[in-house]
Amino acid sequence: MSGAIETPQVLLAHHLKALKLPTFLREYAKVAAECAKDRADHPKFLLRLAELELLDRERRLVERRIRAAHFPAVKSLDTFDFTAIPSLNKMLVLDLARCDYINAHDNIIALGNSGTGKTHVALALGLAACQRGLSVGFMTAAGLVHQLMEARDERRLLRLQAQLASLKLLIIDELGYVPLSQTGAELLFEVFSQRHERGSTIVTSNLPFEDWTSVFGAERLTGALLDRLTHHVQILEMNGESYRLKQSRARRRKGIEKAGDDLPHDPETGEINDS
Ligand code: ADP
Ligand code: MG
């Protein structure tokens, strides 16, 4: 007679799968046992299951967003040392991590020399957006232009443009490292144009605005681009000493100090007696 007992469970499993409630399916027996023990009634049983399903669903969405963003590395602001870059407004960055600028369709431009944490901050803001369930894309400027050219050659440019325009946040890293061809510059300009007031874009660049013409080639195009990009913009000033350089210098200094430990010290001043 076990067949008759199993039937509702088999059917339930089928229905829960059709309704896309995997956590309900996985947890209902366990939660039912807990509820029996706690003498919790049916609404409480259903509430516990619904809460588990919602939490799982949020977690799955965030994971999907992070995978779809194609971050080269997952970095957060927790591991960012703000004291290393005094030119950067810490309060502004922490505020941006709340992602309100994305709902306002504002842009962010991080400017500064190499190694000052521009990519790190852009990745952290991208992660924060994913954690709020927002769609994010991360690309280098050169990579994006390459993709656009390839899509154009394969006659799927419109589809790629629509995908890029639909992202809540597009991060374009390293604008200015490589000069663009005229077609490349125009395709990139179109991306900015199509996102204008529809979504947010973060751009990182080692070039000050005055030098952007050298990347885009044409002065008119650069003007129009800056016009769109800086319409609603937060600028992150990130000029300073390269973090990597500073780290390796600090390591080297530590190494010298450590080596110094082996030399005879003056017991009073702590200075090394190398005479
Ligand atoms: P940029 O994009 O400005 O050239 P990156 O963001 O790539 O610089 O930073 C270079 C490396 O140093 C990365 O590994 C980054 O995580 C690290 N880094 C840079 N600035 C900081 C900082 N202030 N705190 C912690 N790590 C940092
Ligand atoms: Mg970088």
Side-chain angles (χ1 to χ4, degrees):
M1 295 299 282
S2 70
I5 297 165
E6 269 168 28
T7 307
Q9 275 144 6
V10 171
L11 272 178
L12 180 62
H14 174 268
H15 295 344
L16 288 175
K17 269 184 203 149
L19 289 166
K20 297 202 183 343
L21 295 169
T23 310
F24 248 80
L25 176 58
R26 198 181 60 236
E27 301 292 331
Y28 80 83
K30 199 175 102 207
V31 175
E34 280 168 14
C35 284
K37 208 173 90 219
D38 303 347
R39 296 180 183 283
D41 56 14
H42 284 99
K44 281 199 192 115
F45 165 65
L46 286 172
L47 177 63
R48 282 188 198 178
L49 276 179
E51 279 172 349
L52 288 176
E53 187 73 56
L54 268 179
L55 281 174
D56 254 14
R57 193 169 283 187
E58 268 169 35
R59 189 181 47 75
R60 286 195 300 270
L61 174 68
V62 170
E63 280 171 5
R64 221 170 32 246
R65 294 295 194 217
I66 292 172
R67 269 198 309 276
H70 295 295
F71 296 127
V74 175
K75 300 221 175 181
S76 75
L77 289 180
D78 298 342
T79 58
F80 192 77
D81 175 10
F82 282 92
T83 62
I85 177 92
S87 74
L88 181 64
N89 181 342
K90 176 179 177 179
M91 294 318 286
L92 173 61
V93 176
L94 295 181
D95 185 55
L96 291 172
R98 291 169 45 214
C99 297
D100 293 340
Y101 72 98
I102 299 180
N103 295 323
H105 304 153
D106 288 355
N107 300 316
I108 299 174
I109 303 178
L111 294 176
N113 50 295
S114 183
T116 55
K118 296 182 297 297
T119 301
H120 188 133
V121 168
L123 285 167
L125 292 177
L127 182 67
C130 288
Q131 283 163 343
R132 278 171 176 69
L134 302 168
S135 57
V136 179
F138 184 102
M139 272 163 253
T140 62
L144 174 57
V145 167
H146 181 81
Q147 278 197 36
L148 288 163
M149 304 260 249
E150 203 173 68
R152 193 196 50 165
D153 293 346
E154 293 169 7
R155 299 182 160 279
R156 49 177 182 80
L157 182 59
L158 284 177
R159 203 170 354 129
L160 177 59
Q161 283 175 332
Q163 276 169 10
L164 291 168
S166 73
L167 292 169
K168 290 278 181 198
L169 173 64
L170 176 64
I171 302 172
I172 302 178
D173 198 24
E174 298 186 352
L175 187 78
Y177 278 89
V178 201
L180 304 169
S181 65
Q182 194 190 329
T183 319
E186 282 166 7
L187 286 169
L188 194 58
F189 173 77
E190 264 185 78
V191 172
F192 286 113
S193 252
Q194 288 164 350
R195 294 187 56 73
H196 182 53
E197 294 191 324
R198 251 176 250 144
S200 294
T201 308
I202 298 180
V203 173
T204 81
S205 179
N206 59 330
L207 294 180
F209 290 131
E210 306 90 83
D211 297 346
W212 281 33
T213 313
S214 65
V215 181
F216 286 95
E219 206 155 318
R220 274 236 316 277
L221 190 70
T222 310
L225 181 128
L226 281 175
D227 191 53
R228 278 161 185 72
L229 199 57
T230 59
H231 185 202
H232 298 282
V233 76
Q234 300 283 358
I235 310 269
L236 302 180
E237 295 280 355
M238 299 187 66
N239 270 302
E241 204 181 343
S242 159
Y243 189 78
R244 265 190 293 247
L245 225 65
K246 194 150 69 181
Q247 291 288 89
S248 60
R249 200 172 302 140
R251 264 198 304 275
R252 217 173 313 135
R253 208 175 304 130
K254 249 192 185 154
I256 292 167
E257 275 168 22
K258 238 178 145 187
D261 286 346
D262 301 334
L263 298 169
H265 285 73
D266 184 307
E268 257 158 51
T269 63
E271 276 171 25
I272 296 166
N273 290 322
D274 52 359
S275 52

